[in-house]
Amino acid sequence: MESLDAEGWAQLFNSCRESACHLEMRDHYAVAEEAADIEKWRAGKWGPEEDAASKAGWLELMRATAARGVRLRRTRIISEPASEYIRFEHDGTPQNIEAGEEVRWLPRTRASGLALPGNDCWIFDGATVLFNHFTGEGGWVGNELSRDPRVAELCTKAFESAWELGVPHDEFTLT
């Protein structure tokens, strides 16, 4: 297993040819770069323009990746009622969609029959998996890259199963 830095992350998207799928399974993320954004959101001083500016680099990477014909999909498995963080994330999802991502939401109660990996992950072209590791409080720990075909197959099947059950963003209402 390998670990990637930010440049390696971008390279995964730049070399991707067909699909990049993200499976998110946490109800709370506490990554340092979002702390100020969440505070502004809580105070009602956050809207689509602020969200898009905050994640401009990410959105540009998604636009460039989608422009090459890569299908970008994200499934978020969430508890209901939704956590504050998920509400923040939900409010910012239209910017991700505008940049070329497809996003679905899957209430955790509908995911009980799924075999899921132990960590959030990105799956690139069904062959490379980037696991994201977090502390119990949601802080970023690091990532782990796998090119093991068995791991890629497990994660791809898990993603596709969750995607099938998920509700498209524009049809999903948070509770």
Side-chain angles (χ1 to χ4, degrees):
M1 299 268 181
E2 307 171 43
S3 183
L4 290 182
D5 59 11
E7 185 177 313
W9 250 85
Q11 183 55 35
L12 280 174
F13 284 96
N14 293 333
S15 64
C16 190
R17 296 291 165 236
E18 296 176 11
S19 66
C21 303
H22 192 191
L23 183 59
E24 294 181 34
M25 300 179 286
R26 297 181 57 90
D27 287 319
H28 178 72
Y29 296 87
V31 291
E33 59 267 17
E34 289 182 329
D37 297 348
I38 291 170
E39 287 303 316
K40 290 176 186 172
W41 176 81
R42 280 184 191 130
K45 298 177 181 176
W46 192 257
E49 297 81 19
E50 291 81 7
D51 187 74
S54 177
K55 57 187 181 188
W58 175 258
L59 297 175
E60 183 53 40
L61 179 60
M62 292 302 96
R63 283 185 196 94
T65 303
R68 293 194 330 274
V70 174
R71 187 174 184 197
L72 302 165
R73 294 184 293 160
R74 181 187 302 259
T75 300
R76 293 175 170 145
I77 300 175
I78 63 164
S79 298
E80 292 181 305
S83 68
E84 178 185 55
Y85 183 85
I86 292 300
R87 291 179 184 288
F88 166 76
E89 201 171 46
H90 188 270
D91 284 354
T93 297
Q95 286 68 253
N96 294 68
I97 293 169
E98 184 276 324
E101 290 186 47
E102 298 171 62
V103 179
R104 290 191 179 180
W105 300 86
L106 178 59
R108 195 170 309 282
T109 55
R110 295 184 54 209
S112 297
L114 301 181
L116 299 168
N119 295 291
D120 287 13
C121 60
W122 276 96
I123 307 142
F124 298 91
D125 293 332
T128 301
V129 179
L130 182 66
F131 291 103
N132 294 308
H133 298 295
F134 299 90
T135 67
E137 297 297 320
W140 172 254
V141 173
N143 55 48
E144 179 182 4
L145 185 66
S146 175
R147 290 188 173 89
D148 182 326
R150 294 167 299 177
V151 172
E153 181 181 19
L154 173 122
C155 293
T156 299
K157 285 180 179 179
F159 178 84
E160 293 300 338
S161 295
W163 181 260
E164 188 71 26
L165 293 173
V167 179
H169 178 77
D170 62 348
E171 298 172 22
F172 186 74
T173 303
L174 288 178
T175 61

